[in-house]
Amino acid sequence: EIFGYDRSDLVDPWYRFLVVSQDPPPIRSSTGFRLWADHGLDALAQADTIVIPGWADDLRPPRPETIEALREAYARGARLMSICIGAFVLAATGLLDGRRATTHWRWADRLAERYPKVLVDPDVLYIDDGQILTSAGTAAGIDLGLHVVRLDYGAEIANEVARRIVMPPHRDGGQAQYI
């Protein structure tokens, strides 16, 4: 929603959006629809920003080649961001060790148990720790996406994107109101 639509009428260039997967297509989502990722992990080598969406409901770790591709992207300066339980993927890379991170409040305890070196904060909508950003649930992922647009293109553009998707440009509060 944030990065995939062509919004070059607002600013040009807009983001170049690719769907990448560690698995061959089609990929069945937990909500029942199928995704067709046109690119494999090799596409991550050119990415400036990598968004890791909600992960497998069973929270299985990513494959070693995914972990390595994310570590390599981080080492060359790519921005890594997760939405919801995508934080488990980032944690599996070790890149969240010693950092504040968040995920959906329902999974925060499990993230802290599985990855005790991660400083899990279950109360916030998202955390910007520079090169690594994490968010809570789906709507918080949109909040984080708007934050990234604000960083990259300024408040005016981020506000217009928010207006187009009928979202507030910035939401106050945190996850505690939903727990």
Side-chain angles (χ1 to χ4, degrees):
E1 185 66 39
I2 301 294
F3 304 109
Y5 282 109
D6 177 9
R7 300 192 194 276
S8 57
D9 62 313
L10 294 176
V11 64
D12 195 13
W14 189 249
Y15 301 93
R16 182 171 167 245
F17 182 80
L18 304 176
V19 178
V20 175
S21 177
Q22 71 175 8
D23 298 316
I27 303 155
R28 183 173 159 75
S29 77
S30 60
T31 55
F33 63 90
R34 298 187 192 282
L35 299 171
W36 197 274
D38 292 328
H39 303 278
L41 294 174
D42 56 321
L44 297 181
Q46 302 301 315
D48 296 321
T49 300
I50 298 170
V51 180
I52 302 160
W55 190 243
D57 285 344
D58 62 5
L59 302 176
R60 67 181 170 269
R63 291 203 299 261
E65 57 269 26
T66 302
I67 291 171
E68 186 57 31
L70 292 171
R71 286 178 180 159
E72 288 174 5
Y74 176 81
R76 67 172 174 72
R79 175 171 49 198
L80 305 179
M81 61 184 278
S82 66
I83 298 172
C84 195
I85 58 176
F88 282 79
V89 175
L90 283 179
T93 68
L95 295 171
L96 290 182
D97 290 357
R99 293 179 186 263
R100 275 182 70 231
T102 196
T103 190
H104 192 287
W105 60 266
R106 288 185 58 206
W107 301 100
D109 287 345
R110 183 154 322 157
L111 181 64
E113 289 167 14
R114 188 178 290 181
Y115 301 100
K117 294 179 182 176
V118 178
L119 309 173
V120 179
D121 184 345
D123 296 326
V124 297
L125 295 176
Y126 63 85
I127 294 173
D128 177 345
D129 192 3
Q131 196 179 340
I132 296 184
L133 305 93
T134 55
S135 69
T138 305
I142 294 172
D143 292 320
L144 179 56
L146 289 170
H147 171 74
V148 168
V149 171
R150 194 175 303 109
L151 291 173
D152 293 346
Y153 294 114
E156 184 177 327
I157 299 298
N159 291 348
E160 181 58 27
V161 172
R163 184 172 166 265
R164 289 182 182 190
I165 65 172
V166 192
M167 271 290 284
H170 177 78
R171 290 191 302 157
D172 290 324
Q175 293 189 77
Q177 62 189 317
Y178 304 105
I179 296 174

